[in-house]
Amino acid sequence: MSEDSPSLLFVNQHYAPDLASTAQHLTDLAEHLAEEGFEVHVLCSQIHYVAGEMDVPAEEVRNGVHVHRVPTTTFGRDSWLGRLTDYASFFLQVLWRLLTRRRYDHVVSLTTPPLLPVAAALAWAVRGQSYGIWSMDLHPDAEEAVGMIEPDGLIARVLHGLNDWGYRRADFVVDLGPYMKCRIENKDVPSKRLHTIPVWNKKEEVYPVGPDENPLMEKVDLGEKFVVMYSGNAGLGHRFDEVMGAMAHFDDHSDIHFLFVGNGPRKDEILEFAESRDLSNFDYLSYFPREQIKYSLSLADVHLLTLRDSFAGIAVPGKLYGILAAGRPVLMVGPKSSDSAATIQRHEVGRVVDPHRNGQKTPTGRVVDVIRTLYENPERRRRMGQRGREVFLDRFEQEECCEQWAALLRDENTAPTHAAANGKARPARAMATEG
């Protein structure tokens, strides 16, 4: 690494070996940039995404990336109070380090916890630290969308004010799609500072695996069944009423089985629904290790992706790209005016059922019809899955997306910074260690 290598600090609550989606994508990007010659540092916590502390060192160099982990509270995600406490303890540690430790050519803030970019903005205001934002989702927009805070209430206005201030002062913002970009532009962020780079999967990590080659087939014991899978976080931004209705409808169909894999705040609701109706066509499994994801996703004949209407442009479910990589069709239940739906429809890799679009049948009835149609047409499924794999390799593969990041950061390193334009000092060239 030369003395002229740009120095970067990524800030996010989670990092490898944690399995949170943001941890996995940040790990992929950080290691890619390290291989490209950047001096890469990550500031994260020592806690697991779900709960508890990881047995990991506070400081280490991991695959060329300098990882700095700070101790925080470890209440986990079982309660809002515990989650907010974990968020606050990490935020304060980040703010202290950004204000008192070394400066970098760029700090890149993710959005876990919410309002984390505000810490970077404060470091910009106090000491001219240049920063960008990787907008994985939008806050407090998400909290308004699930009813945690009242839209246009005092709390919402304060949080929007802080968040928008942080976004407007960033040197660059990376969004995940055109609908998210539009929301960020509405915060008065100049369009020239906005860059769309989707999240990704790795072609060698997720790819189609046939049933005869899949070691998980025997473990899940689903035989020759047609598997409708939901894989990943069952979060508050997702919708499941129509999916659960379809589960109940197909309960007497011996060939169609619904398989959920993962966790999330709505998991108990789904389990209670299945138990209350004594469904025989349903299983809910824990997350598989990352090295088994290609086998897990290949268990499905069709994958489910769901999104609440209010989350269009706020969140872009990354699970879509794993589905495409696995060469399986996708059934989305959610708004057609969203980034995920636009990708599915543009490339004809699945079907979208928008519950709020008028139709002769109920939304559940339309979901049932799509599942039945895909069940009865294996050749159609095969073509959709094949197109999905081709689209993935062309647009959503790790090397392609991470190289877009590298090009952006090289450009940002040579461009005048927003801090310099406002009369603040450019960060001094980094020292060798965090200190």
Side-chain angles (χ1 to χ4, degrees):
M1 184 181 303
S2 72
E3 291 184 359
D4 293 329
S5 299
S7 61
L8 307 171
L9 175 68
F10 288 93
V11 185
N12 189 52
Q13 191 172 25
H14 305 289
Y15 191 74
D18 192 73
L19 295 178
S21 175
T22 58
Q24 295 184 36
H25 286 105
L26 176 53
T27 302
D28 291 342
L29 177 58
E31 293 180 359
H32 177 92
L33 294 173
E35 289 180 357
E36 290 290 307
F38 290 82
E39 181 193 345
V40 185
H41 295 250
V42 171
L43 179 59
C44 59
S45 74
Q46 294 177 304
I47 65 172
H48 282 289
Y49 174 72
V50 178
E53 192 170 82
M54 295 187 294
D55 184 17
V56 289
E59 303 279 340
E60 69 170 329
V61 178
R62 182 187 176 95
N63 296 330
V65 178
H66 303 264
V67 184
H68 315 281
R69 299 186 179 93
V70 296
T72 64
T73 58
T74 57
F75 293 104
R77 305 176 66 83
D78 289 340
S79 72
W80 283 111
L81 180 59
R83 188 184 302 189
L84 289 173
T85 303
D86 290 348
Y87 284 167
S89 64
F90 180 66
F91 180 93
L92 292 173
Q93 293 254 27
V94 168
L95 180 59
W96 175 253
R97 289 196 172 220
L98 291 181
L99 292 177
T100 63
R101 300 292 182 93
R102 65 170 281 187
R103 294 191 296 183
Y104 297 81
D105 290 322
H106 285 290
V107 168
V108 181
S109 170
L110 279 71
T111 48
T112 304
L115 302 184
L116 186 59
V118 174
L122 288 170
W124 166 84
V126 172
R127 63 197 305 229
Q129 170 64 71
S130 302
Y131 73 99
I133 299 172
W134 189 357
S135 187
M136 289 290 198
D137 41 31
L138 295 179
H139 301 281
D141 312 58
E143 286 71 26
E144 286 183 325
V146 298
M148 283 182 60
I149 59 176
E150 181 182 351
D152 297 323
L154 176 61
I155 294 176
R157 292 199 301 272
V158 171
L159 294 178
H160 274 296
L162 288 169
N163 183 70
D164 295 356
W165 175 72
Y167 270 72
R168 286 195 295 267
R169 278 149 183 79
D171 290 311
F172 63 90
V173 177
V174 172
D175 60 76
L176 304 185
Y179 287 89
M180 180 179 283
K181 182 190 293 288
C182 183
R183 278 184 174 268
I184 297 174
E185 285 180 329
N186 289 338
K187 300 177 183 293
D188 293 329
V189 178
S191 59
K192 65 182 180 181
R193 293 192 209 150
L194 286 169
H195 308 268
T196 299
I197 303 177
V199 291
W200 56 80
N201 276 94
K202 300 178 182 180
K203 60 186 177 184
E204 71 276 6
E205 187 171 275
V206 182
Y207 52 83
V209 178
D212 294 338
E213 303 169 318
N214 194 333
L216 296 183
M217 289 297 294
E218 184 176 349
K219 181 175 181 178
V220 299
D221 192 26
L222 294 178
E224 301 296 320
K225 292 186 182 296
F226 178 82
V227 177
V228 183
M229 176 185 281
Y230 183 90
S231 179
N233 180 50
L236 298 177
H238 304 288
R239 61 183 306 133
F240 294 101
D241 288 350
E242 296 80 13
V243 173
M244 292 188 291
M247 287 162 50
H249 176 88
F250 285 113
D251 190 35
D252 60 353
H253 197 300
S254 60
D255 289 342
I256 297 178
H257 197 89
F258 290 79
L259 177 63
F260 283 66
V261 176
N263 210 321
R266 300 197 65 186
K267 177 179 179 178
D268 288 344
E269 175 187 343
I270 298 165
L271 289 171
E272 289 169 6
F273 178 90
E275 183 177 352
S276 68
R277 287 157 179 79
D278 194 26
L279 297 183
S280 60
N281 63 341
F282 165 83
D283 285 294
Y284 211 130
L285 304 179
S286 299
Y287 284 111
F288 289 97
R290 186 173 183 178
E291 60 269 18
Q292 293 187 339
I293 190 70
K294 58 182 175 291
Y295 302 124
S296 171
L297 294 178
S298 292
L299 291 171
D301 293 284
V302 59
H303 277 274
L304 296 168
L305 186 155
T306 72
L307 192 70
R308 291 171 58 159
D309 268 41
S310 56
F311 269 74
I314 293 175
V316 182
K319 61 170 59 67
L320 173 60
Y321 311 119
I323 295 168
L324 300 180
R328 297 297 189 268
V330 56
L331 165 56
M332 176 177 174
V333 184
K336 286 193 172 182
S337 298
S338 64
D339 292 302
S340 298
T343 298
I344 294 167
Q345 294 173 112
R346 182 186 310 119
H347 299 291
E348 298 180 333
V349 295
R351 294 285 300 276
V352 178
V353 173
D354 188 331
H356 294 286
R357 295 289 179 98
N358 293 330
Q360 294 182 335
K361 291 190 174 183
T362 65
T364 297
R366 284 182 276 155
V367 170
V368 166
D369 284 349
V370 172
I371 292 174
R372 182 182 292 112
T373 298
L374 292 173
Y375 166 73
E376 294 173 349
N377 293 272
E379 179 57 24
R380 183 180 300 181
R381 298 198 310 268
R382 187 196 66 78
R383 290 198 303 268
M384 286 181 173
Q386 184 178 45
R387 280 196 297 272
R389 179 70 181 177
E390 292 169 355
V391 169
F392 160 74
L393 291 173
D394 183 53
R395 301 173 64 92
F396 306 115
E397 206 279 322
Q398 182 209 6
E399 289 293 322
E400 167 66 23
C401 297
C402 287
E403 191 46 48
Q404 292 179 46
W405 263 101
L408 168 63
L409 291 168
R410 291 188 190 101
D411 289 344
E412 288 293 329
N413 194 58
T414 58
T417 67
H418 186 44
N422 285 271
K424 297 182 183 296
R426 187 179 179 91
R429 179 59 63 183
M431 297 178 291
T433 61
E434 168 76 354

